[in-house]
Amino acid sequence: MIYDVPCINCSTLIRLSRVLKKFGPIGRGSLSLRTRSYLFCTLYNCKMNSTRALNCQYEEAVKTLNSLQSNSVTVELVKRHKNLRMSNNITETQKYLNRIGITLNVLDKLPVIHIAGTKGKGSTCAFVESILREHGLKTGFYSSPHLVAVRERIRINGLPIDKREFSHYFWDVYDNLYEQKSDEKDMPAYFKFLTILAFKVFLKEDVDVAIVEVGIGGEFDCTNVLRRPAVCGIASLDIDHTSILGETIEEISWHKAGVIKSHVPVFTVRQQPQEALKVLYERSKEKQSKLYVSPPLENYDWGGRLIHLGLSGYVQFLNASLALQLSHYFLKNRSNLSSDSISKDENFCGKPFTLTEEDIFALENVVWPGRSQIVTKERMTYFLDGAHTITSIQSCIDWYEKISLQVPNDNVNLYKILLFNLTGDRDHEVMLEKLFSCDFDAVLFTTNLITKNMTASSDQTNFNVSDAKQISRCQSFRKYWLRLSQEDERKKCQQCLTFQCISDAFSWITCEKDSTDQINVPLKLREAEHIQVLVTGSLHLIGGVLSVLDPTLAQPAFDGDSTNQSMVDIVRRKFTQSRYSTPGAP
């Protein structure tokens, strides 16, 4: 049977799968509809070159992945019945892993460093990955959320898996799960699917170590399906995700300590709230595990060198020390991690040691975009920090006020802007009160939407919150900021605006002629010799801003280059034009 295919586009490719039903029933042991459609296009020489075919596969993969997101109504229902839903998380993850052939016994063979925490867990993971890679290990790294491309969440040797690999692994897992589902709702949700996908990738790629960052909490997080991590870490704890984890530091700490496993050592940072530290000690004792507190970074032997980290801010000293303890333990005990014996070498745990050349190089060259990052473009300097808790906002302010004095360091006509958004149930009033102390000329509140019309195949599409709710929250932020301004005569003339998307906010900031809010652009901004923009409050906002700064980063197209484009390249190559623009500039 020959089909006339004069022109094949992405949507047509998928619709062809229905035609291929005629080739036989679909079920376990047979080809999936989507696989048949790709075979069809290959066999009948459709007019798609290889790059376009790859584009199609990747774009459809992201679109299908986004369909697994919970919509805003479902998210609200989950929050109301959080205990029931959360307790099923690990059981469901195990079920779906079994369906793709990964039993818990198989998963136990994966060498894992499991890291939880409220803030700093991503940075700690990045330090750990960098250290172990410099020591010659093949690393896997699973993190969330992504900034620009979903591929960032799954990395091999520090780089996101490329679009070809992502598409291959995605459809392998998705088709397997789709063909075995018992009903229409029997598919893992977005984060759960990505967790399963990451484990599949790490096992297939045969990594020496997988660094796994917890999503939310720990006790009921999907990643806690892991039964035998090599070592666990808990970064700084703070109040966050209160609708899910509880409203007190003790409740939140209980959830975070859920990653602790029997006879597996756990390390934490030294500047934990006392209430949190008490809970960590109690839970580690309950699980017959030893808790170690990381020493000050200054206490390690740096061989006479000055301490310099690839990530700036004093809080990174805590994260770097935690990472050193976790990495050192893993390297020391790597040979017997697969053994059932629990007599591991723990005599050095919690103590400073002499750093190797590999350790120092890894700490100095680690890259973790969106955290204390500086981007310079023409007369603009963007200060990007995904701070989203009260404590981290204060750390962000301390960093910004210090570094902004150096950029530019000449006496120029300067204009300062705050670009802010906040997601979830976080306390915006306290955060805005802290930011109010900064001397901004304009304050802009925007949703995390890059444009007003986001497509379903965009890496940054978010169905978890409605557009209307995002805009409403921005209006609430503006209302509270204006209320603060009424109490300060100096700031009554300050510009304070809301925007429906990041692109509109950028049109205003850059004084573009087609900006719908051009009438509100003040003369001082137009005539400014240099503009500083602090972007903070949400990692999703940071990702959107990076996409607007360089639109090619958000394009799903495969670039045809064998060199994998990553956020590491973006920071090091695209946005490092001045001596101030590296993430860890002192």
Side-chain angles (χ1 to χ4, degrees), residues 375-382 509-510 530-533:
V375 174
T376 303
K377 291 193 76 176
E378 299 172 351
R379 65 170 185 147
M380 316 281 294
T381 301
Y382 298 89
I509 292 170
T510 56
H530 199 87
I531 301 168
Q532 292 183 352
V533 186

Side-chain angles (χ1 to χ4, degrees), residues 161-323:
I161 58 175
D162 65 31
K163 293 167 186 174
R164 189 194 308 271
E165 293 168 329
F166 183 88
S167 299
H168 166 74
Y169 283 116
F170 177 87
W171 291 120
D172 181 29
V173 172
Y174 185 87
D175 285 344
N176 253 301
L177 294 176
Y178 188 87
E179 290 167 9
Q180 297 181 62
K181 66 179 184 177
S182 58
D183 56 60
E184 286 304 310
K185 295 182 179 179
D186 189 19
M187 286 291 284
Y190 186 91
F191 180 77
K192 193 171 296 174
F193 183 93
L194 286 171
T195 302
I196 294 164
L197 180 62
F199 292 151
K200 171 83 171 184
V201 172
F202 296 154
L203 287 165
K204 281 290 185 180
E205 296 291 329
D206 195 25
V207 299
D208 296 320
V209 59
I211 299 97
V212 176
E213 179 188 1
V214 169
I216 295 178
E219 180 73 29
F220 301 120
D221 188 71
C222 303
T223 63
N224 213 28
V225 70
L226 294 163
R227 299 187 304 182
R228 294 184 57 184
V231 62
C232 296
I234 299 177
S236 300
L237 298 176
D238 200 354
I239 302 295
D240 198 17
H241 296 297
T242 53
S243 62
I244 299 174
L245 305 180
E247 298 184 355
T248 68
I249 192 68
E250 290 87 353
E251 291 175 297
I252 292 169
S253 301
W254 184 90
H255 278 280
K256 303 289 183 181
V259 299
I260 300 174
K261 301 296 187 297
S262 177
H263 303 298
V264 175
V266 57
F267 294 83
T268 191
V269 297
R270 63 189 181 89
Q271 289 185 4
Q272 291 284 26
Q274 285 303 310
E275 305 91 333
L277 203 55
K278 181 181 178 182
V279 173
L280 297 186
Y281 272 117
E282 289 173 351
R283 293 218 70 188
S284 60
K285 184 177 180 181
E286 166 195 323
K287 297 191 178 189
Q288 296 181 292
S289 172
K290 290 183 180 179
L291 175 69
Y292 298 95
V293 178
S294 303
L297 190 63
E298 302 90 321
N299 289 7
Y300 292 84
D301 183 356
W302 286 75
R305 305 185 194 186
L306 293 176
I307 298 176
H308 178 74
L309 302 178
L311 304 178
S312 64
Y314 183 73
V315 67
Q316 298 299 347
F317 278 43
L318 300 176
N319 300 330
S321 179
L322 176 57

